[in-house]
Amino acid sequence: MNIRDRIIEVFQNEIEKPILDIDLAKYLEIDPGQYKVIFELLAKMAEEGLLIATKKKKYGTPAMFGMVLGKIEVTQRGFGFVMIDGSASAGKKHDGTQSSDVFIPASEMGGAMNKDRVLCKVTKGLDGEKRREGTIVKVVERANTQIVGVFQKNKSFGFVIADDKKINQDVFIPFSSTMGAESGDKVVVKIVKWPEGDKKAEGKVVEVLGNKGAPGVDILSVIYKFGLPDEFPNKVEDAAAQISPEVLDEDMIGRRDLRDARIVTIDGPDAKDLDDAVSVVKLSNGNYLLSVHIADVTHYVKEGSVLDKEAFERGTSVYLVNKVVPMLPRKLSNGICSLNPKVNRLTLSIDMEIDEKGQVVAHDIYESVIKTTERMVYDDVSDIVEGKRLDELQHYEYLFDFFKMMEDLQKILKKRRDLRGAIDFNFPEAKIKCDDDGRAIDVVKEDRRIANRIIEEFMLIANETIAEHYFWMEMPFVYRIHELPNEEKIENFNKFLANFGYMIKMKDGEVHPKAIQLLLSKVDGTREEHIINKLMLRSLKQAKYSPLNEGHFGLAAKYYCHFTSPIRRYPDLQIHRIIKESLNGKITEKRIERLKAIVEAASLQSSERERLSEQAERDADDMKKAEYMLSHVGETYDGVVSSVTSFGFFVELDNTVEGLVRVANLLDDYYFYDEALMQLIGERTKKSFRIGDLVKVIVRRVDVDLREIDFECLEILEPKASSKQVEISVEA
């Protein structure tokens, strides 16, 4: 244990009140010659907010001074909440229990901005019974070193209104720092002075993205808003440029040559980064041999290279409606690494012999070289399997039986997962169609067809088999884990389910995934299906990457990893490296120790980057959906009430667009919110709005900047039917 961790441990478990720096040094039995080093470390820990220092050089934890350390989440209305750090030194009570989050009034923000790490003095609720309230005493770490927003010009200065509405203060821009920006331009601003007292933050324009209405500027704004790295550094592009665009003869030495095998890719029509290909044959014993071939990215992206470091920092490719922010330069992601049709490509392959019960009875992992037979798209394969458009797709006739065999295997694998209790969320994805200028012209619902399900099942079984193989080899690895759901969240979800007559039974505070699977099967095909799917997903924990194999709750899998997308996900790339080193006998004891640190860092970084990319993708989708609905103001739609709050209810249209009916606009009565029933109820008429009601709405207002769509409810077309409560229980 290093001295920093020892200091935290001492304050957590051994010292109950502030102590002089020299007394702490003596308590730690530090050599007097090292006192200066310890005093400097204590001062640094105080700067970081881990400790509090008095003028007399007494040190203690924030909790000893009635303070907490955490990240502040600011609302659009100006107040915020400090989300307390998990460490004991930064906010747990001395009895070891976790303190609640702390409410911060707008007047007590102390110059803090959204996502800043702050020290907060708790002023109310110290007894733990009331809502805790506080004031910000120190900003420990700034989160917003730059912001994106709309520039407004005055005679002698300018100011920027942030796109992120949680940053609700304008940023002052001196005239000398505008970079020639004009009113209405979207700009990137670097903060040079932070807000203090009544003074606003001050910044300088570092990039003018263009007028906010110009084509492509909106997506570019999202990229900068979330700090996504749009362009690759020159040294990274140069490294990619040095790689041959074709597979060299020497690259194929020692690999299994599968260039004459029947192998296809199946992807969306717009996909350019094709990282998986598949093949299926029926064996003489009746089993299937499924081969999954994944792009061998690590052949080109070596550990510690500039390409590898850049991929690690990015963590994942980000898909923003009509633009991709790739993890790797396009020369690799769309070129030599992509399994493009009818050309030589290096791959890492796994063959799996699968019996009639879906069990993998044997498997083989190896390096290979392939040449795909065809580049297929989901809809074409689905049509072939379903017997549609066969005349139009006649040039693929030699593959018809091939795809039917894939369908047969998919059904076997799906049945196996269903039997063990895997949760299959039936989420129709929204496809946002844009014109040549990038403006949203349609939002349609894309269903998962049979070809999508084939590839999904094939990738799932490959990921499981790889994870189990390397778990039993006791190799450092990056697993994809999904922890058991929180008991409180399931209880809250049950309150929501009561509206539909269902309840998930828990045993000893835990729920079995099969119970959730049974629930989803019962609501399959109902109009509330999508709503229940969505709320259920929110009630579960988020999956993440981990060096420890802790299982995957949602998949009901003991072993799982991400192996199949190394072009666009760093964990896949990292475990490819481990697999190849293992295959080639390069794993030594020294290497294992090094890999332990590598997989831990990759797990943490990749999980964080995945969360950020999800936020950016959701923000871009919401923006484009609002942009699309802007041209439909005044039009009427049928929709389903998806959630009810004290300020109104949300209605989801068939195309997945969601809008708000504000309670202030329900003029036929005074409506109050019944939290227990999750309903808005008219005081006089007793008319109610409930989740699952089918309603007719008219689009009244759209604000693209705020990602807000306002509906007015015209009538309830069909109230949600009442039903007798059904208890769903499964023994683990």
PDB file of all heavy atoms in Angstrom, residues 554-579:
ATOM      1  N   GLY A 554     -28.486  -9.995 -17.896  1.00  0.00           N
ATOM      2  CA  GLY A 554     -29.456  -9.880 -18.974  1.00  0.00           C
ATOM      3  C   GLY A 554     -29.424 -11.048 -19.936  1.00  0.00           C
ATOM      4  O   GLY A 554     -30.465 -11.481 -20.437  1.00  0.00           O
ATOM      5  N   LEU A 555     -28.240 -11.565 -20.187  1.00  0.00           N
ATOM      6  CA  LEU A 555     -28.091 -12.707 -21.093  1.00  0.00           C
ATOM      7  C   LEU A 555     -28.182 -14.039 -20.355  1.00  0.00           C
ATOM      8  O   LEU A 555     -28.151 -15.094 -20.992  1.00  0.00           O
ATOM      9  CB  LEU A 555     -26.746 -12.627 -21.827  1.00  0.00           C
ATOM     10  CG  LEU A 555     -26.570 -11.451 -22.792  1.00  0.00           C
ATOM     11  CD1 LEU A 555     -25.135 -11.399 -23.298  1.00  0.00           C
ATOM     12  CD2 LEU A 555     -27.543 -11.562 -23.959  1.00  0.00           C
ATOM     13  N   ALA A 556     -28.300 -13.971 -19.027  1.00  0.00           N
ATOM     14  CA  ALA A 556     -28.293 -15.178 -18.189  1.00  0.00           C
ATOM     15  C   ALA A 556     -27.081 -16.038 -18.534  1.00  0.00           C
ATOM     16  O   ALA A 556     -27.162 -17.265 -18.625  1.00  0.00           O
ATOM     17  CB  ALA A 556     -29.591 -15.967 -18.360  1.00  0.00           C
ATOM     18  N   ALA A 557     -25.941 -15.368 -18.722  1.00  0.00           N
ATOM     19  CA  ALA A 557     -24.712 -16.051 -19.144  1.00  0.00           C
ATOM     20  C   ALA A 557     -23.660 -15.980 -18.035  1.00  0.00           C
ATOM     21  O   ALA A 557     -23.450 -14.916 -17.444  1.00  0.00           O
ATOM     22  CB  ALA A 557     -24.166 -15.415 -20.421  1.00  0.00           C
ATOM     23  N   LYS A 558     -23.003 -17.101 -17.784  1.00  0.00           N
ATOM     24  CA  LYS A 558     -21.923 -17.119 -16.790  1.00  0.00           C
ATOM     25  C   LYS A 558     -20.652 -16.470 -17.331  1.00  0.00           C
ATOM     26  O   LYS A 558     -19.846 -15.942 -16.561  1.00  0.00           O
ATOM     27  CB  LYS A 558     -21.615 -18.562 -16.372  1.00  0.00           C
ATOM     28  CG  LYS A 558     -22.715 -19.233 -15.583  1.00  0.00           C
ATOM     29  CD  LYS A 558     -22.294 -20.653 -15.175  1.00  0.00           C
ATOM     30  CE  LYS A 558     -23.375 -21.344 -14.374  1.00  0.00           C
ATOM     31  NZ  LYS A 558     -22.977 -22.728 -13.992  1.00  0.00           N
ATOM     32  N   TYR A 559     -20.478 -16.536 -18.646  1.00  0.00           N
ATOM     33  CA  TYR A 559     -19.259 -16.011 -19.259  1.00  0.00           C
ATOM     34  C   TYR A 559     -19.660 -15.179 -20.478  1.00  0.00           C
ATOM     35  O   TYR A 559     -20.419 -15.639 -21.327  1.00  0.00           O
ATOM     36  CB  TYR A 559     -18.340 -17.152 -19.717  1.00  0.00           C
ATOM     37  CG  TYR A 559     -18.213 -18.282 -18.729  1.00  0.00           C
ATOM     38  CD1 TYR A 559     -19.027 -19.414 -18.838  1.00  0.00           C
ATOM     39  CD2 TYR A 559     -17.280 -18.230 -17.693  1.00  0.00           C
ATOM     40  CE1 TYR A 559     -18.925 -20.459 -17.942  1.00  0.00           C
ATOM     41  CE2 TYR A 559     -17.176 -19.277 -16.795  1.00  0.00           C
ATOM     42  CZ  TYR A 559     -17.991 -20.387 -16.909  1.00  0.00           C
ATOM     43  OH  TYR A 559     -17.890 -21.418 -16.016  1.00  0.00           O
ATOM     44  N   TYR A 560     -19.122 -13.982 -20.549  1.00  0.00           N
ATOM     45  CA  TYR A 560     -19.429 -13.164 -21.724  1.00  0.00           C
ATOM     46  C   TYR A 560     -18.327 -12.128 -21.922  1.00  0.00           C
ATOM     47  O   TYR A 560     -17.709 -11.641 -20.969  1.00  0.00           O
ATOM     48  CB  TYR A 560     -20.786 -12.456 -21.578  1.00  0.00           C
ATOM     49  CG  TYR A 560     -21.305 -11.950 -22.902  1.00  0.00           C
ATOM     50  CD1 TYR A 560     -21.663 -12.843 -23.909  1.00  0.00           C
ATOM     51  CD2 TYR A 560     -21.412 -10.595 -23.167  1.00  0.00           C
ATOM     52  CE1 TYR A 560     -22.115 -12.395 -25.139  1.00  0.00           C
ATOM     53  CE2 TYR A 560     -21.867 -10.134 -24.387  1.00  0.00           C
ATOM     54  CZ  TYR A 560     -22.215 -11.037 -25.369  1.00  0.00           C
ATOM     55  OH  TYR A 560     -22.646 -10.595 -26.600  1.00  0.00           O
ATOM     56  N   CYS A 561     -18.083 -11.802 -23.193  1.00  0.00           N
ATOM     57  CA  CYS A 561     -17.116 -10.757 -23.537  1.00  0.00           C
ATOM     58  C   CYS A 561     -17.538 -10.150 -24.863  1.00  0.00           C
ATOM     59  O   CYS A 561     -18.500 -10.590 -25.489  1.00  0.00           O
ATOM     60  CB  CYS A 561     -15.699 -11.324 -23.639  1.00  0.00           C
ATOM     61  SG  CYS A 561     -15.441 -12.404 -25.077  1.00  0.00           S
ATOM     62  N   HIS A 562     -16.844  -9.126 -25.282  1.00  0.00           N
ATOM     63  CA  HIS A 562     -17.035  -8.539 -26.606  1.00  0.00           C
ATOM     64  C   HIS A 562     -15.793  -8.853 -27.444  1.00  0.00           C
ATOM     65  O   HIS A 562     -14.721  -8.301 -27.213  1.00  0.00           O
ATOM     66  CB  HIS A 562     -17.250  -7.026 -26.506  1.00  0.00           C
ATOM     67  CG  HIS A 562     -18.670  -6.653 -26.239  1.00  0.00           C
ATOM     68  ND1 HIS A 562     -19.063  -5.371 -25.903  1.00  0.00           N
ATOM     69  CD2 HIS A 562     -19.806  -7.391 -26.271  1.00  0.00           C
ATOM     70  CE1 HIS A 562     -20.374  -5.348 -25.738  1.00  0.00           C
ATOM     71  NE2 HIS A 562     -20.847  -6.557 -25.953  1.00  0.00           N
ATOM     72  N   PHE A 563     -15.986  -9.747 -28.408  1.00  0.00           N
ATOM     73  CA  PHE A 563     -14.897 -10.238 -29.250  1.00  0.00           C
ATOM     74  C   PHE A 563     -15.105  -9.868 -30.715  1.00  0.00           C
ATOM     75  O   PHE A 563     -14.165  -9.852 -31.502  1.00  0.00           O
ATOM     76  CB  PHE A 563     -14.835 -11.771 -29.074  1.00  0.00           C
ATOM     77  CG  PHE A 563     -14.194 -12.547 -30.184  1.00  0.00           C
ATOM     78  CD1 PHE A 563     -12.805 -12.569 -30.335  1.00  0.00           C
ATOM     79  CD2 PHE A 563     -14.964 -13.275 -31.091  1.00  0.00           C
ATOM     80  CE1 PHE A 563     -12.213 -13.305 -31.365  1.00  0.00           C
ATOM     81  CE2 PHE A 563     -14.381 -14.005 -32.121  1.00  0.00           C
ATOM     82  CZ  PHE A 563     -13.003 -14.014 -32.253  1.00  0.00           C
ATOM     83  N   THR A 564     -16.335  -9.524 -31.094  1.00  0.00           N
ATOM     84  CA  THR A 564     -16.733  -9.533 -32.502  1.00  0.00           C
ATOM     85  C   THR A 564     -16.661  -8.184 -33.225  1.00  0.00           C
ATOM     86  O   THR A 564     -16.975  -8.120 -34.405  1.00  0.00           O
ATOM     87  CB  THR A 564     -18.163 -10.089 -32.634  1.00  0.00           C
ATOM     88  OG1 THR A 564     -19.043  -9.329 -31.787  1.00  0.00           O
ATOM     89  CG2 THR A 564     -18.207 -11.550 -32.224  1.00  0.00           C
ATOM     90  N   SER A 565     -16.245  -7.103 -32.548  1.00  0.00           N
ATOM     91  CA  SER A 565     -16.219  -5.791 -33.211  1.00  0.00           C
ATOM     92  C   SER A 565     -14.956  -4.987 -32.906  1.00  0.00           C
ATOM     93  O   SER A 565     -15.023  -3.884 -32.354  1.00  0.00           O
ATOM     94  CB  SER A 565     -17.456  -4.970 -32.811  1.00  0.00           C
ATOM     95  OG  SER A 565     -18.636  -5.578 -33.267  1.00  0.00           O
ATOM     96  N   PRO A 566     -13.785  -5.520 -33.255  1.00  0.00           N
ATOM     97  CA  PRO A 566     -12.537  -4.808 -32.909  1.00  0.00           C
ATOM     98  C   PRO A 566     -12.301  -3.537 -33.720  1.00  0.00           C
ATOM     99  O   PRO A 566     -11.444  -2.738 -33.345  1.00  0.00           O
ATOM    100  CB  PRO A 566     -11.452  -5.858 -33.205  1.00  0.00           C
ATOM    101  CG  PRO A 566     -12.061  -6.708 -34.274  1.00  0.00           C
ATOM    102  CD  PRO A 566     -13.523  -6.789 -33.942  1.00  0.00           C
ATOM    103  N   ILE A 567     -13.029  -3.345 -34.818  1.00  0.00           N
ATOM    104  CA  ILE A 567     -12.860  -2.102 -35.590  1.00  0.00           C
ATOM    105  C   ILE A 567     -13.457  -0.920 -34.834  1.00  0.00           C
ATOM    106  O   ILE A 567     -12.956   0.202 -34.917  1.00  0.00           O
ATOM    107  CB  ILE A 567     -13.522  -2.222 -36.983  1.00  0.00           C
ATOM    108  CG1 ILE A 567     -12.786  -3.260 -37.837  1.00  0.00           C
ATOM    109  CG2 ILE A 567     -13.542  -0.877 -37.710  1.00  0.00           C
ATOM    110  CD1 ILE A 567     -13.427  -3.498 -39.204  1.00  0.00           C
ATOM    111  N   ARG A 568     -14.514  -1.194 -34.050  1.00  0.00           N
ATOM    112  CA  ARG A 568     -15.238  -0.088 -33.422  1.00  0.00           C
ATOM    113  C   ARG A 568     -15.314  -0.139 -31.902  1.00  0.00           C
ATOM    114  O   ARG A 568     -15.888   0.763 -31.299  1.00  0.00           O
ATOM    115  CB  ARG A 568     -16.650   0.005 -34.002  1.00  0.00           C
ATOM    116  CG  ARG A 568     -17.486  -1.239 -33.815  1.00  0.00           C
ATOM    117  CD  ARG A 568     -18.822  -1.117 -34.542  1.00  0.00           C
ATOM    118  NE  ARG A 568     -19.629  -2.320 -34.419  1.00  0.00           N
ATOM    119  CZ  ARG A 568     -20.498  -2.545 -33.439  1.00  0.00           C
ATOM    120  NH1 ARG A 568     -20.646  -1.640 -32.483  1.00  0.00           N
ATOM    121  NH2 ARG A 568     -21.206  -3.652 -33.419  1.00  0.00           N
ATOM    122  N   ARG A 569     -14.727  -1.178 -31.263  1.00  0.00           N
ATOM    123  CA  ARG A 569     -14.724  -1.250 -29.805  1.00  0.00           C
ATOM    124  C   ARG A 569     -13.348  -1.656 -29.318  1.00  0.00           C
ATOM    125  O   ARG A 569     -12.813  -2.673 -29.758  1.00  0.00           O
ATOM    126  CB  ARG A 569     -15.762  -2.263 -29.294  1.00  0.00           C
ATOM    127  CG  ARG A 569     -17.203  -1.879 -29.513  1.00  0.00           C
ATOM    128  CD  ARG A 569     -18.157  -2.832 -28.802  1.00  0.00           C
ATOM    129  NE  ARG A 569     -17.937  -4.229 -29.123  1.00  0.00           N
ATOM    130  CZ  ARG A 569     -18.914  -5.087 -29.431  1.00  0.00           C
ATOM    131  NH1 ARG A 569     -20.169  -4.683 -29.476  1.00  0.00           N
ATOM    132  NH2 ARG A 569     -18.633  -6.352 -29.699  1.00  0.00           N
ATOM    133  N   TYR A 570     -12.785  -0.878 -28.391  1.00  0.00           N
ATOM    134  CA  TYR A 570     -11.430  -1.166 -27.923  1.00  0.00           C
ATOM    135  C   TYR A 570     -11.329  -2.472 -27.122  1.00  0.00           C
ATOM    136  O   TYR A 570     -10.329  -3.189 -27.256  1.00  0.00           O
ATOM    137  CB  TYR A 570     -10.876  -0.003 -27.092  1.00  0.00           C
ATOM    138  CG  TYR A 570      -9.394  -0.156 -26.856  1.00  0.00           C
ATOM    139  CD1 TYR A 570      -8.482   0.237 -27.835  1.00  0.00           C
ATOM    140  CD2 TYR A 570      -8.900  -0.737 -25.689  1.00  0.00           C
ATOM    141  CE1 TYR A 570      -7.114   0.059 -27.647  1.00  0.00           C
ATOM    142  CE2 TYR A 570      -7.538  -0.910 -25.491  1.00  0.00           C
ATOM    143  CZ  TYR A 570      -6.646  -0.513 -26.479  1.00  0.00           C
ATOM    144  OH  TYR A 570      -5.303  -0.696 -26.299  1.00  0.00           O
ATOM    145  N   PRO A 571     -12.306  -2.826 -26.267  1.00  0.00           N
ATOM    146  CA  PRO A 571     -12.169  -4.101 -25.535  1.00  0.00           C
ATOM    147  C   PRO A 571     -11.984  -5.291 -26.463  1.00  0.00           C
ATOM    148  O   PRO A 571     -11.197  -6.198 -26.166  1.00  0.00           O
ATOM    149  CB  PRO A 571     -13.493  -4.195 -24.756  1.00  0.00           C
ATOM    150  CG  PRO A 571     -13.944  -2.784 -24.614  1.00  0.00           C
ATOM    151  CD  PRO A 571     -13.532  -2.097 -25.873  1.00  0.00           C
ATOM    152  N   ASP A 572     -12.708  -5.312 -27.593  1.00  0.00           N
ATOM    153  CA  ASP A 572     -12.570  -6.399 -28.551  1.00  0.00           C
ATOM    154  C   ASP A 572     -11.150  -6.453 -29.097  1.00  0.00           C
ATOM    155  O   ASP A 572     -10.538  -7.525 -29.202  1.00  0.00           O
ATOM    156  CB  ASP A 572     -13.550  -6.211 -29.713  1.00  0.00           C
ATOM    157  CG  ASP A 572     -14.987  -6.019 -29.258  1.00  0.00           C
ATOM    158  OD1 ASP A 572     -15.210  -5.158 -28.387  1.00  0.00           O
ATOM    159  OD2 ASP A 572     -15.876  -6.712 -29.776  1.00  0.00           O
ATOM    160  N   LEU A 573     -10.632  -5.290 -29.432  1.00  0.00           N
ATOM    161  CA  LEU A 573      -9.272  -5.208 -29.964  1.00  0.00           C
ATOM    162  C   LEU A 573      -8.266  -5.725 -28.929  1.00  0.00           C
ATOM    163  O   LEU A 573      -7.342  -6.475 -29.255  1.00  0.00           O
ATOM    164  CB  LEU A 573      -8.970  -3.760 -30.355  1.00  0.00           C
ATOM    165  CG  LEU A 573      -7.655  -3.460 -31.079  1.00  0.00           C
ATOM    166  CD1 LEU A 573      -7.827  -2.238 -31.986  1.00  0.00           C
ATOM    167  CD2 LEU A 573      -6.521  -3.182 -30.104  1.00  0.00           C
ATOM    168  N   GLN A 574      -8.465  -5.332 -27.671  1.00  0.00           N
ATOM    169  CA  GLN A 574      -7.526  -5.736 -26.622  1.00  0.00           C
ATOM    170  C   GLN A 574      -7.550  -7.246 -26.392  1.00  0.00           C
ATOM    171  O   GLN A 574      -6.499  -7.878 -26.255  1.00  0.00           O
ATOM    172  CB  GLN A 574      -7.846  -5.006 -25.322  1.00  0.00           C
ATOM    173  CG  GLN A 574      -6.948  -5.388 -24.151  1.00  0.00           C
ATOM    174  CD  GLN A 574      -5.471  -5.245 -24.466  1.00  0.00           C
ATOM    175  OE1 GLN A 574      -5.029  -4.183 -24.879  1.00  0.00           O
ATOM    176  NE2 GLN A 574      -4.694  -6.306 -24.280  1.00  0.00           N
ATOM    177  N   ILE A 575      -8.735  -7.853 -26.376  1.00  0.00           N
ATOM    178  CA  ILE A 575      -8.742  -9.294 -26.122  1.00  0.00           C
ATOM    179  C   ILE A 575      -8.275 -10.074 -27.356  1.00  0.00           C
ATOM    180  O   ILE A 575      -7.746 -11.177 -27.210  1.00  0.00           O
ATOM    181  CB  ILE A 575     -10.111  -9.805 -25.618  1.00  0.00           C
ATOM    182  CG1 ILE A 575     -11.196  -9.671 -26.664  1.00  0.00           C
ATOM    183  CG2 ILE A 575     -10.503  -9.105 -24.336  1.00  0.00           C
ATOM    184  CD1 ILE A 575     -12.502 -10.314 -26.218  1.00  0.00           C
ATOM    185  N   HIS A 576      -8.409  -9.496 -28.546  1.00  0.00           N
ATOM    186  CA  HIS A 576      -7.801 -10.123 -29.723  1.00  0.00           C
ATOM    187  C   HIS A 576      -6.291 -10.256 -29.518  1.00  0.00           C
ATOM    188  O   HIS A 576      -5.687 -11.275 -29.869  1.00  0.00           O
ATOM    189  CB  HIS A 576      -8.070  -9.280 -30.970  1.00  0.00           C
ATOM    190  CG  HIS A 576      -9.356  -9.608 -31.657  1.00  0.00           C
ATOM    191  ND1 HIS A 576      -9.465  -9.796 -33.014  1.00  0.00           N
ATOM    192  CD2 HIS A 576     -10.609  -9.794 -31.166  1.00  0.00           C
ATOM    193  CE1 HIS A 576     -10.716 -10.070 -33.324  1.00  0.00           C
ATOM    194  NE2 HIS A 576     -11.430 -10.065 -32.216  1.00  0.00           N
ATOM    195  N   ARG A 577      -5.711  -9.223 -28.964  1.00  0.00           N
ATOM    196  CA  ARG A 577      -4.266  -9.227 -28.724  1.00  0.00           C
ATOM    197  C   ARG A 577      -3.886 -10.352 -27.762  1.00  0.00           C
ATOM    198  O   ARG A 577      -2.900 -11.069 -27.966  1.00  0.00           O
ATOM    199  CB  ARG A 577      -3.867  -7.857 -28.168  1.00  0.00           C
ATOM    200  CG  ARG A 577      -2.423  -7.500 -28.320  1.00  0.00           C
ATOM    201  CD  ARG A 577      -2.208  -6.048 -27.948  1.00  0.00           C
ATOM    202  NE  ARG A 577      -2.492  -5.158 -29.073  1.00  0.00           N
ATOM    203  CZ  ARG A 577      -3.095  -3.986 -28.973  1.00  0.00           C
ATOM    204  NH1 ARG A 577      -3.485  -3.551 -27.796  1.00  0.00           N
ATOM    205  NH2 ARG A 577      -3.306  -3.244 -30.027  1.00  0.00           N
ATOM    206  N   ILE A 578      -4.691 -10.506 -26.711  1.00  0.00           N
ATOM    207  CA  ILE A 578      -4.434 -11.566 -25.731  1.00  0.00           C
ATOM    208  C   ILE A 578      -4.616 -12.942 -26.373  1.00  0.00           C
ATOM    209  O   ILE A 578      -3.804 -13.860 -26.160  1.00  0.00           O
ATOM    210  CB  ILE A 578      -5.378 -11.403 -24.515  1.00  0.00           C
ATOM    211  CG1 ILE A 578      -5.038 -10.099 -23.768  1.00  0.00           C
ATOM    212  CG2 ILE A 578      -5.275 -12.604 -23.578  1.00  0.00           C
ATOM    213  CD1 ILE A 578      -6.049  -9.710 -22.716  1.00  0.00           C
ATOM    214  N   ILE A 579      -5.664 -13.092 -27.162  1.00  0.00           N
ATOM    215  CA  ILE A 579      -5.936 -14.373 -27.826  1.00  0.00           C
ATOM    216  C   ILE A 579      -4.775 -14.760 -28.740  1.00  0.00           C
ATOM    217  O   ILE A 579      -4.295 -15.895 -28.721  1.00  0.00           O
ATOM    218  CB  ILE A 579      -7.259 -14.300 -28.617  1.00  0.00           C
ATOM    219  CG1 ILE A 579      -8.453 -14.187 -27.662  1.00  0.00           C
ATOM    220  CG2 ILE A 579      -7.421 -15.522 -29.515  1.00  0.00           C
ATOM    221  CD1 ILE A 579      -9.762 -13.805 -28.341  1.00  0.00           C
TER     222      ILE A 579
END
